[in-house]
């Protein structure tokens, strides 16, 4: 079991640091984008040698608030600024939704991925 301390997660960048440290110690890596997180959960770079592990996200309600619509809009703006022009309409629509307080949040993205892999326990 790897513990994620939700009190330390105020931004998506914080999440990458906290999950990396939980698995691999200070400065550890366990993905720094959603695709890399999927890869690590499939046993890619940074993953534990064994597959019998779970992440216990402690104080997850703190993270849920911090990774809400404000952080989601910030992340989508970053994505919009760097995405391929053909993807901009979709990202722009997602950004509009986040600014309106609708649609999935960063917290939803992360918990969805962890849950999809059967690796999440909220505490």
């Amino acid at each position: 079991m790897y513990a994620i301390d939700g009190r330390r997660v105020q931004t998506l960048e914080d999440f990458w640091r906290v999950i990396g440290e939980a698995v691999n110690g200070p400065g550890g890596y366990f993905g720094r984008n959603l695709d890399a997180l999927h890869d690590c959960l499939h046993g890619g770079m940074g993953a534990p040698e064994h597959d019998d592990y779970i992440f216990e996200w402690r104080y997850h309600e703190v993270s849920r608030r911090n990774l809400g619509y404000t952080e989601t809009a910030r992340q989508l703006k970053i994505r919009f600024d760097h995405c391929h022009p053909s993807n901009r309409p979709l990202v722009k629509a997602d950004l509009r939704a986040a600014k309106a307080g609708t649609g999935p949040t960063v917290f939803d993205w992360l918990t969805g991925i962890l849950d999809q892999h059967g690796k999440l326990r909220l505490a």
Side-chain angles (χ1 to χ4, degrees), residues 38-50:
H38 269 294
D39 290 346
C40 286
L41 291 167
H42 279 297
M45 177 182 264
E49 293 293 320
H50 56 85

Side-chain angles (χ1 to χ4, degrees), residues 18-37:
V18 169
I19 197 170
E21 289 174 357
V23 175
N24 294 306
Y29 176 86
F30 200 79
R32 289 203 175 85
N33 63 59
L34 300 174
D35 290 333
L37 179 60

Side-chain angles (χ1 to χ4, degrees), residues 89-121:
L90 178 61
V91 176
K92 189 172 186 176
D94 290 345
L95 178 55
R96 252 192 321 269
K99 287 180 176 181
T102 63
T105 64
V106 171
F107 185 81
D108 297 328
W109 300 343
L110 297 171
T111 56
I113 291 169
L114 291 167
D115 193 47
Q116 174 186 350
H117 290 275
K119 300 293 183 192
L120 179 63
R121 178 185 315 145

Side-chain angles (χ1 to χ4, degrees), residues 11-18 67 71 74-75 78:
T11 66
L12 181 56
E13 292 82 5
D14 290 339
F15 174 81
W16 301 131
R17 182 180 39 74
V18 169
L67 301 178
E71 177 64 5
R74 186 179 78 85
Q75 291 299 322
I78 292 168

